[in-house]
Amino acid sequence: MKLSALSPRQLIEIDACTRCGECLKSCPVYAQKGQEEIDPRGKIQAFKAFIRSQYGLWARVFGPKKLDEEKLKRFSEMVYRCTLCGECGVSCPVSIDAKNLWLALRETLVEMGYFPKAMDQLKSNLSEVHNILGNENMERVEWVKSLDEVPDHLYDKERAEVAFFVGCVASFFPMVHRIPKALVEIFRKTGVDFTLLGGEEWCCGFPLIGAGMKKEAEVLIQHNLEKMKAKGVVRAVFACPSCYHTWLEDYQTDIEVFHSTQFLKKLIEEGKIIFKEKKAKVTYHDPCDLGRGSGVYEPPREVLRQIPGVVLVEMENSREACKCCGGGGNLEMVDPELSAALAQEKLKQIQATGADTVITSCQQCVRTMMSTARKKKIPITVMDITEFVLKNMKS
Ligand code: SF4
Ligand code: SF4
């Protein structure tokens, strides 16, 4: 067992866990499963035991013990049953950066060959056709053809200062095509000269990083950077918080990156978006990679507050304490039932606010919450902020 995926800080963090159990109170997966081995504390203690068996005093004197395959398999199942929402890290009194620790544990498990089969499929899709679904990559732009006005260049221009990086989920899942369509329509109405990367947009690499396959993501990262540079892009806009977060953290670039909520706020401040009145009581769901992951809490709320007549009510858990919708961490690929159960819990919190619409700023959150609301016949309207802005803009 090699520990090369873990930084010295992470090794200290493993040792620093006091087993206080604060993280148990916030982990949505533990709330569903109630198993000690799946909660953050349990995972840290199990990994600590593996380390001790290989590198502890006993191992130094008598040699490392043979690792128990069944225990490793079970541990891997627990590590991949996590949405990487990061809430455990926020509640940890000794400031363990839990989300990055889970990523390092996944990398370690990948090196050892203990990871879910679904991750292998993901890896081959991304290396062969560069999108999570394994479709022909040119199909990324199919949604463009259903816009009200379709230009000949399909928004894949030779050069533009602004690029809209769409991401795999919004490109390939018809249920959420309405999100990139809304953002493009807002750009058109406000005169933003932008380009897409079209069939040359590759997955941002986030799903591979989440799978514990960070090295494999490098090819995707370099490709996307080259394509952006070739078009002379200086500002990139993302409606997907995971793509945005990955560009912020893992792309070494001087291209300025904006989440759509930040860009919409900028357009409002420049007077390019003016709203009509809309009487509505809405609540806002913070996507994990945008809120806890990237610290973007206020821009979406500021955008919503600019719409006259809109009353924004907060959920019991919001901002840093916002509960994950169940759509993160590749959990849907590993355990769809668990992912749906988390979405159902989320919908209960939304309903408790008395709002009939939940606004978010992530296509994966929209997919997860909307699918569960439909299946369970829960009367909640789920909208991305781009759609809500477009619907309430003065033309
Ligand atoms: S809150 Fe932090 S210190 Fe306490 S058990 Fe969880 S990971 Fe360990
Ligand atoms: S990242 Fe979220 S789902 Fe994973 S252990 Fe922490 S709180 Fe639980």
Side-chain angles (χ1 to χ4, degrees):
M1 175 188 233
K2 288 189 200 146
L3 299 176
S4 49
L6 289 118
S7 67
R9 185 196 152 102
Q10 287 172 327
L11 291 168
I12 293 168
E13 284 179 339
I14 289 169
D15 207 39
C17 171
T18 60
R19 309 186 65 181
C20 67
E22 279 305 306
C23 50
L24 274 65
K25 297 177 197 161
S26 55
C27 176
V29 170
Y30 178 67
Q32 284 298 319
K33 298 295 228 183
Q35 295 162 288
E36 170 74 8
E37 57 182 346
I38 211 167
D39 71 48
R41 177 176 68 182
K43 286 184 286 194
I44 290 177
Q45 296 311 316
F47 194 65
K48 204 169 170 176
F50 286 128
I51 295 178
R52 206 174 282 140
S53 75
Q54 301 304 296
Y55 300 100
L57 187 60
W58 180 277
R60 283 176 194 210
V61 178
F62 301 106
K65 286 186 187 158
K66 190 173 179 312
L67 286 165
D68 183 326
E69 283 217 9
E70 284 312 309
K71 275 192 186 164
L72 270 172
K73 265 189 211 155
R74 185 75 187 152
F75 178 64
S76 171
E77 280 171 24
M78 299 301 116
V79 172
Y80 282 91
R81 270 170 184 72
C82 160
T83 65
L84 299 176
C85 71
E87 208 188 330
C88 47
V90 171
S91 62
C92 176
V94 293
S95 303
I96 291 177
D97 178 4
K99 183 186 152 192
N100 281 315
L101 184 57
W102 309 143
L103 288 173
L105 294 195
R106 288 185 183 191
E107 271 188 62
T108 306
L109 287 164
V110 166
E111 270 178 26
M112 297 171 78
Y114 291 89
F115 56 93
K117 278 205 169 61
M119 301 300 116
D120 256 341
Q121 184 62 51
L122 176 73
K123 188 168 99 176
S124 67
N125 287 349
L126 290 177
S127 67
E128 284 161 25
V129 285
H130 321 303
N131 63 73
I132 54 170
L133 284 161
N135 292 8
E136 280 302 316
N137 207 41
M138 265 315 285
E139 290 175 24
R140 268 186 192 279
V141 288
E142 282 304 305
W143 62 270
V144 179
K145 296 173 192 163
S146 62
L147 286 164
D148 289 344
E149 289 180 32
V150 186
D152 292 343
H153 51 54
L154 298 176
Y155 291 111
D156 185 0
K157 298 179 191 167
E158 263 182 40
R159 291 188 77 79
E161 286 197 357
V162 176
F164 170 27
F165 189 95
V166 184
C168 294
V169 173
S171 299
F172 288 105
F173 285 95
M175 182 191 249
V176 286
H177 280 167
R178 50 192 224 199
I179 299 170
K181 283 167 74 175
L183 193 56
V184 164
E185 189 58 11
I186 294 169
F187 285 165
R188 195 184 64 77
K189 285 187 169 195
T190 53
V192 175
D193 178 26
F194 75 98
T195 185
L196 305 174
L197 297 189
E200 286 297 340
E201 179 185 301
W202 288 6
C203 169
C204 68
F206 181 84
L208 282 174
I209 295 168
M213 300 170 172
K214 195 170 181 175
K215 286 180 207 119
E216 286 81 351
E218 202 46 45
V219 178
L220 304 171
I221 292 173
Q222 288 313 322
H223 171 89
N224 287 326
L225 280 172
E226 275 166 29
K227 295 298 159 190
M228 287 275 192
K229 284 284 171 195
K231 284 179 185 282
V233 171
V234 292
R235 283 185 293 280
V237 185
F238 304 82
C240 170
S242 307
C243 298
Y244 167 74
H245 179 72
T246 306
W247 271 74
L248 270 185
E249 294 280 314
D250 298 290
Y251 282 61
Q252 303 295 322
T253 178
D254 55 0
I255 295 171
E256 208 180 348
V257 299
F258 291 85
H259 183 257
S260 57
T261 52
Q262 298 166 319
F263 207 79
L264 290 172
K265 181 175 167 267
K266 188 164 127 18
L267 292 174
I268 294 167
E269 285 165 357
E270 289 168 0
K272 292 182 179 158
I273 294 178
I274 299 168
F275 292 108
K276 51 193 180 196
E277 184 162 347
K278 167 79 182 169
K279 291 253 179 281
K281 185 178 175 185
V282 305
T283 189
Y284 177 73
H285 164 69
D286 293 276
C288 300
D289 291 325
L290 188 64
R292 271 186 299 272
S294 311
V296 180
Y297 296 110
E298 289 313 313
R301 289 174 170 83
E302 284 169 29
V303 169
L304 293 173
R305 281 192 210 106
Q306 292 302 315
I307 307 174
V310 166
V311 176
L312 173 63
V313 284
E314 295 288 352
M315 281 176 247
E316 185 188 339
N317 296 90
S318 68
R319 293 185 171 84
E320 276 204 327
C322 186
K323 288 284 163 208
C324 177
C325 69
N330 297 337
L331 181 65
E332 196 189 352
M333 295 180 209
V334 176
D335 192 338
E337 288 81 23
L338 178 57
S339 170
L342 299 191
Q344 208 173 336
E345 275 308 303
K346 180 81 228 183
L347 290 169
K348 278 186 202 160
Q349 271 216 359
I350 293 165
Q351 284 190 297
T353 64
D356 54 17
T357 303
V358 57
I359 312 286
T360 189
S361 34
C362 169
Q363 53 281 298
Q364 179 65 356
C365 297
V366 168
R367 269 188 72 237
T368 315
M369 294 192 285
M370 209 158 84
S371 308
T372 302
R374 278 183 188 169
K375 265 187 217 143
K376 302 287 173 187
K377 301 198 181 353
I378 299 169
I380 283 283
T381 303
V382 184
M383 287 180 93
D384 188 82
I385 196 160
T386 49
E387 301 171 77
F388 198 67
V389 164
L390 177 66
K391 211 170 164 198
N392 296 300
M393 270 172 82
K394 280 189 183 166
S395 45

